[in-house]
Amino acid sequence: MKVAEETLCLSAVHVSRAMKVEASQIKEVAGRAVLLVDDQPMPFASLGALLGLGPDEVAGEGALVLVVRSQGATAALAVDRVLEESVQAILPLKGLMAHFPHLTGATTLADGRLAMVLSAAHLIASAQGTLGLRIPRAPAAARPPAAPRRRILVVDDSPLTRELIGSLLEAVGYDVIMATDGMEALDMLNGSLNGYLNGNLNGGSNGPKVDLVCTDLEMPRVDGLELTRRLKEHPTHKVLPVVILTTRGGEEDRQRGLAAGANGYITKGDLVRQDLVDVVGRLLG
């Protein structure tokens, strides 16, 4: 299914039906939106709002809704689009990725992209108002003692992927800043974006100090390959380790990334293990 610009998955066993909302079905009970489905009221929320991917408002007439059931509870969740139903293996989340209770696993789509599988139970609880579903930060106790803290620039055009990678790296003690594509990353490093003028320099006269760059491969404007080339050609930024994190796992793609100067090349499917944390730790060790 499509939520904002993200492709996400739900196990079909938890989806009882998909339907279009009629205005007469939308009600309010105790200050919360409910949807009447077969004359039965159930919590009603936008999945994008629950995940922090869209405005915090209730969907209206004509919205596409999935009726989700789990552990005896039910909720109606509005989504932008249902893409397809297919039989795919769900990979369990291991290591630090298991800290995200709103996810039950990951799966590979037909085009090779990685998609996260959402927990129906947590979605329902959040729609009921008993849980917050925005991507959690791991507790401070999970962070090993380390000083000084290293800073990593995460570059990805997917908001959800940026947050997942950022949370994963913060959980093991790194500071994280983020960019939406290679152009924004270069602007940040060269100090031309307001809001990053901190005097802690790494090449640009006003840019933020960064110890490593973790970048997606396919992005608008400046993609990961071009970003890597430009960094490695820069008189100061060339010392920055660059890790490419991508859905493209073919050997030819990997060789292109390494030829551009990348110090590491990881497929997003390997996020379910500790590959990224291990590679970053080795490069910054």
Side-chain angles (χ1 to χ4, degrees), residues 136-182:
R137 303 300 184 190
R143 299 182 179 183
R149 290 169 65 91
R150 302 294 189 90
R151 179 179 290 167
I152 297 175
L153 172 58
V154 174
V155 190
D156 199 298
D157 60 333
S158 162
L160 182 61
T161 302
R162 284 198 307 272
E163 289 293 334
L164 284 169
I165 296 171
S167 295
L168 185 64
L169 293 170
E170 287 181 342
V172 292
Y174 298 110
D175 286 332
V176 174
I177 59 175
M178 301 182 186
T180 60
D181 58 31

Side-chain angles (χ1 to χ4, degrees), residues 184-236:
E184 185 175 342
L186 290 168
D187 287 342
M188 289 168 63
L189 289 172
N190 292 322
S192 55
L193 280 186
N194 294 329
Y196 289 92
L197 310 182
N198 57 18
N200 197 5
L201 308 182
N202 188 29
S205 59
N206 291 304
K209 180 183 184 302
V210 169
D211 297 291
L212 181 142
V213 176
C214 177
T215 180
D216 187 20
L217 194 60
E218 297 176 287
M219 298 179 292
R221 301 199 298 175
V222 174
D223 64 18
L225 283 179
E226 182 63 21
L227 172 61
T228 302
R229 292 191 191 99
R230 293 195 194 183
L231 290 176
K232 294 304 179 179
E233 293 170 356
H234 192 278
T236 304

Side-chain angles (χ1 to χ4, degrees), residues 107-114 246-249 269:
T107 189
T108 304
L109 303 177
D111 60 5
R113 290 179 297 142
L114 179 72
T246 177
T247 58
R248 301 181 69 91

